[in-house]
Amino acid sequence: MFKILDVYIIRKFLGTYFFAILLILAITVMFDVNDKLDSFLKAPLKATIFDYFVNFLPYFANQFSPLFTFIACIFFTSKLADNSEIIAMLSSGISFRRLMRPYMISAAVIAALTWVLSAYIIPPANIKRIEYTNTYVKNRRVDYGSNIQMMVAPGQIAYMSRFDNTTRTGYRFSLDKFEGKKLVSRMTAASIRWDSLYHWQVRDYMIRDIEGLNEHITRGNRLDTIIPFEPRDFLIAKNDHETMTTPQLQDYIERQKKRGMANIETFEIENERRYAMCAAAFILTIIGMSLSSKKVKGGMGINIGIGLVLSFSYILFMTVTSTFAISGFTSPFVAMWIPNFIYSLIAIVLYFRASAG
């Protein structure tokens, strides 16, 4: 059952958390407007507000949720300790472990909110945000590819010398079908145009069906066919991983692995990061509460300073380890969870030191 104490701490924690987010977002908007002022003046005001800022602010807040969680926990707990409220709570017979319960409930609320936003809400919103920046700020869209080769299905290898996404057309296309190591069919075409999903239209084509020493050749000007791949499977832009919900992301990773694609590390990192960020809410809450639960000589300023150093070092550590994963030095899972593992050890040590005191 919730006690008055639990409700009091949860309200303080979440209230400080959301206030910190609003404060940082207000500062972020000012810097962002100053940085992109020329682009915002060129774009329609409605698009700037509803396509960019409405989608950018939740994205930014969610990216730095661990930082806001840590700062909120440090700030209001230091204030409680400075007012001798925590001393009073512990003196009344409440154990340190029991005192931690409302903190963990608050962390669970933040983790659940972070998960829902990052997995289902923010990715569709990012599509509009990225489209806006590509149109009015800086175009990072990938519209061209060359020497594209990939396994589109078991035993089927597709190749295009060039693909133009503005016209959805590929040139000098070939599709080889194998049974084991034996080539049984080969389609070549002067061009191939993507229609929708896996529907393609080949033009000026020739199909060679090989049966032993015999060949059956079919020629034509136009053929509608189903080939299980689409442009987004080989035209990968910098922010594509941010536009997929978690089920879409996991499905995409699985399909690309089966096709033998090698440049999916950013997608795997994004998938692991979404889970790791949720766990970080609990870890950083324990660290923050353990650090700031005691009244210190320098007041809450020292606690806030230590909290900022630890939270920024956590974000920096996660950024460095993700670079290692992209470079191939470690797996995305290890890269994203090493910071949580190390900071979990720090949290355990600080928790027992605080509870013993």
Side-chain angles (χ1 to χ4, degrees), residues 45-169:
L45 180 61
K46 183 179 178 181
T48 301
I49 295 174
F50 293 101
D51 291 343
Y52 182 73
F53 278 112
V54 168
N55 298 311
F56 168 74
L57 295 179
Y59 166 79
F60 182 86
N62 205 57
Q63 288 287 99
F64 292 92
S65 181
L67 173 63
F68 299 139
T69 303
F70 203 36
I71 290 175
C73 184
I74 287 278
F75 182 82
F76 95 89
T77 306
S78 296
K79 193 172 181 180
L80 293 179
D82 200 47
N83 294 333
S84 301
E85 292 180 70
I86 291 183
I87 295 175
M89 295 174 193
L90 296 175
S91 299
S92 65
I94 298 175
S95 66
F96 192 83
R97 181 180 177 183
R98 173 63 182 82
L99 188 60
M100 185 65 75
R101 187 171 78 175
Y103 283 86
M104 290 294 97
I105 293 172
S106 301
V109 172
I110 294 171
L113 180 63
T114 300
W115 168 250
V116 171
L117 285 172
S118 62
Y120 297 102
I121 297 177
I122 291 178
N126 279 339
I127 296 175
K128 293 183 179 180
R129 178 181 63 83
I130 293 172
E131 182 63 29
Y132 177 92
T133 56
N134 286 339
T135 304
Y136 300 107
V137 183
K138 184 176 183 180
N139 187 8
R140 298 181 182 274
R141 191 186 299 112
V142 177
D143 288 324
Y144 302 94
S146 59
N147 293 323
I148 301 160
Q149 185 174 18
M150 64 186 303
M151 183 171 68
V152 296
Q156 297 185 31
I157 308 297
Y159 171 80
M160 280 182 282
S161 65
R162 184 167 61 91
F163 185 83
D164 183 350
N165 199 39
T166 58
T167 59
R168 298 183 171 186
T169 304

